[in-house]
Amino acid sequence: MDVYDSVVIGAGQAGLSASYHLDRLGIRHVVLDAEPRPGGAWQHRWDSLTMRDVHGVADLPDGPAPGRSTDRANRAVPHWFGTYETQHGLPVLRPVRVRTVTAGGDLLEVRSDAGTWLTRTLVNATGTWTRPFVPHYPGAETFGGEQLHTHDYPGPGHFRGRRVLVVGGGASAVQFLGELGPITDTLWVTRREPVWRDDFDENSGREAVAQVLDRVTAGLPPASVVSVTGLALRPQEQAAAQLGVYDRRRPMFSRIEPGGVRWDDGARGPGQPAFEPVDSILWATGFRPAVTHLAPLHLRSEHGGIPLLPGTADVQTAVTAARDPRVQLVGYGPSASTIGGNRAGRAAALAVRRQVTRETVRPAGR
């Protein structure tokens, strides 16, 4: 069986960045992508999400990102990714769904539904989209209405005329409320009081990402950057704000019933009803890293996360798994953003070059 110097899993922003830099370094590799077409998770975003609404998309190396517009993000970004793959001749194979990665001597064995690849190193760029997280609450299975996650959000028109409960304290929840508030009755619940910010600069962002890195290097599961930076309202959410949508936030309910949600007396707050009827529950409760295929490598710490070795002064270059330096994780922890994925992609390629001896690196040209 042919042996590659590196296998990249995932052809989203971080995976494409890694492949670009691997190619420039002359490292023989292949990119395995589970999707049937270019675009990564972007192709699955809801239709109402436009390039004006997204929280910034960084340029790929030697590939400017689409600008802000009313174009649908689930069309604009996949088109950009596909053009980028073609222009740079990146070795992407799809659809290839990786099942497991195991270690055998000096090599890693990548097993998929389309075959097996042997490689000296691995760049994991699988993101989080395929692992939506929904917390369990008593009675959830009895709810007579509809429960959806961000992963399955169909757009605001679907909820017109319904009473919608939005669960979650992150940017997605704020965005959903901004879309739903002006057209239907909404209720917002979070586990913690939201922290709003008035301004946010580059230094603030760097400090926030550094705090995420601290968790990862300690072997803890990654936290979202927004949990550190706080929340902000954009112009397109001002109409909902003027309606008081964000002011009517309530603490998390105690249980779910067939017709709505209920709070225990100590949790509902003064003057608040113990029960709220709702037709739909929208879980904007985030995602978890899609890394279950790496389980045979035993990369996790006792705290449940995959610890990474420190990178350079740029905290987003921490990509190397502490328990197996053959494995690079991009778009994980401190690099879980489009700009972070770009920086991590370059750092991963350099780490791969360090791992692969000069004798095994072949010239570019597959």
Side-chain angles (χ1 to χ4, degrees):
M1 187 179 295
D2 200 8
V3 177
Y4 285 86
D5 293 322
S6 192
V7 167
V8 180
I9 306 177
Q13 184 106 11
L16 294 180
S17 173
S19 180
Y20 172 90
H21 288 293
L22 287 168
D23 199 60
R24 286 177 68 87
L25 293 173
I27 296 174
R28 186 168 179 267
H29 71 286
V30 66
V31 183
L32 308 179
D33 188 49
E35 298 293 346
R37 61 188 65 87
W42 287 97
Q43 61 195 284
H44 303 298
R45 302 296 176 93
W46 50 99
D47 290 348
S48 61
L49 183 71
T50 71
M51 294 304 297
R52 182 178 66 93
D53 298 319
V54 300
H55 293 276
V57 178
D59 295 343
L60 281 163
D62 196 22
R68 290 194 175 276
S69 70
T70 57
D71 293 342
R72 283 168 42 178
N74 60 12
R75 289 180 176 172
V77 176
H79 175 74
W80 172 44
F81 280 6
T83 301
Y84 187 83
E85 290 178 14
T86 301
Q87 287 179 341
H88 294 285
L90 301 183
V92 182
L93 300 179
R94 62 168 59 89
V96 178
R97 187 172 299 277
V98 172
R99 302 300 185 188
T100 61
V101 180
T102 58
D106 295 332
L107 299 178
L108 299 171
E109 188 171 298
V110 182
R111 300 176 183 176
S112 78
D113 58 1
T116 299
W117 283 261
L118 293 180
T119 179
R120 296 178 175 86
T121 67
L122 183 82
V123 179
N124 192 79
T126 46
T128 62
W129 185 256
T130 58
R131 288 204 63 206
F133 171 71
V134 176
H136 175 73
Y137 276 84
E141 66 283 357
T142 71
F143 184 59
E146 178 183 51
Q147 298 188 64
L148 295 171
H149 186 272
T150 300
H151 182 276
D152 307 302
Y153 180 65
H158 174 84
F159 298 97
R160 194 180 296 273
R162 305 184 189 185
R163 191 165 199 234
V164 184
L165 173 66
V166 178
V167 183
S172 293
V174 170
Q175 182 172 335
F176 294 152
L177 290 163
E179 290 192 346
L180 297 172
I183 67 170
T184 193
D185 188 13
T186 61
L187 179 67
W188 185 26
V189 299
T190 67
R191 286 194 299 119
R192 292 183 293 270
E193 184 79 26
V195 177
W196 299 95
R197 58 176 171 82
D198 296 323
D199 56 354
F200 186 72
D201 57 24
E202 186 175 343
N203 289 332
S204 302
R206 192 175 295 111
E207 292 170 2
V209 174
Q211 291 185 48
V212 175
L213 176 61
D214 288 342
R215 287 182 56 87
V216 171
T217 53
L220 295 165
S224 67
V225 173
V226 76
S227 68
V228 180
T229 62
L231 300 167
L233 294 179
R234 301 170 300 163
Q236 54 266 52
E237 287 138 14
Q238 294 302 322
Q242 292 172 7
L243 293 170
V245 168
Y246 301 104
D247 298 326
R248 297 195 291 269
R249 185 207 70 91
R250 295 195 59 180
M252 280 300 298
F253 46 82
S254 303
R255 58 189 176 276
I256 300 173
E257 297 182 359
V261 294
R262 185 175 298 277
W263 286 260
D264 293 333
D265 289 342
R268 62 179 176 172
Q272 298 284 354
F275 178 81
E276 289 278 10
V278 295
D279 302 304
S280 301
I281 301 176
L282 180 54
W283 296 94
T285 45
F287 298 79
R288 297 292 183 265
V291 292
T292 54
H293 56 286
L294 302 179
L297 299 180
H298 305 292
L299 303 178
R300 291 187 184 274
S301 76
E302 62 275 17
H303 304 298
I306 299 177
L308 302 179
L309 297 176
T312 65
D314 184 343
V315 296
Q316 292 173 322
T317 61
V319 296
T320 303
R323 298 194 172 186
D324 191 335
R326 295 175 297 179
V327 179
Q328 318 301 318
L329 290 99
V330 294
Y332 177 87
S335 63
S337 66
T338 59
I339 190 169
N342 280 351
R343 294 169 178 170
R346 181 176 184 275
L350 293 172
V352 166
R353 183 171 65 176
R354 289 192 294 269
Q355 286 293 317
V356 178
T357 64
R358 292 184 178 179
E359 289 74 21
T360 61
V361 175
R362 300 177 178 88
R366 294 165 292 277

